[in-house]
Amino acid sequence: MWIKKINMTMKKMKKKILHYTIVFEKNERGGYTVIVPALPGLVTEGDNLEEAKKMAEDAIYCYLEGLKIEKLLP
């Protein structure tokens, strides 16, 4: 299991920098499953660590945009 902290600048969120811990776990297909403990239900995966990181960044962005649309995020 790999744990990595990432910083994201959300362009549409007034340039606010958000920090999330993402957890990478090797899966049975040889790739990596990714979870973000602070964002319940967010799960993604990638064929390698680099792809898994990109997928995680995209998933976090989409998750937060969804919260913003639903007015659950200022």
Side-chain angles (χ1 to χ4, degrees), residues 22-25 32-36 42-46 52-53 56:
I22 56 178
V23 179
F24 299 84
E25 186 171 359
Y32 290 87
T33 299
V34 183
I35 63 167
V36 181
L42 190 148
V43 179
T44 190
E45 61 184 10
K53 180 183 177 212

Side-chain angles (χ1 to χ4, degrees), residues 11-61:
K11 293 177 186 172
K12 295 181 181 178
M13 300 176 104
K14 300 179 185 175
K15 303 267 183 188
K16 188 173 189 177
I17 296 176
L18 306 170
H19 304 273
Y20 291 96
T21 297
I22 56 178
V23 179
F24 299 84
E25 186 171 359
K26 191 89 166 147
N27 62 36
E28 64 277 359
R29 293 183 306 276
Y32 290 87
T33 299
V34 183
I35 63 167
V36 181
L39 303 175
L42 190 148
V43 179
T44 190
E45 61 184 10
D47 292 334
N48 55 52
L49 279 174
E50 186 62 33
E51 182 179 304
K53 180 183 177 212
K54 288 178 185 175
M55 295 297 290
E57 290 172 349
D58 185 55
I60 291 168
Y61 179 82

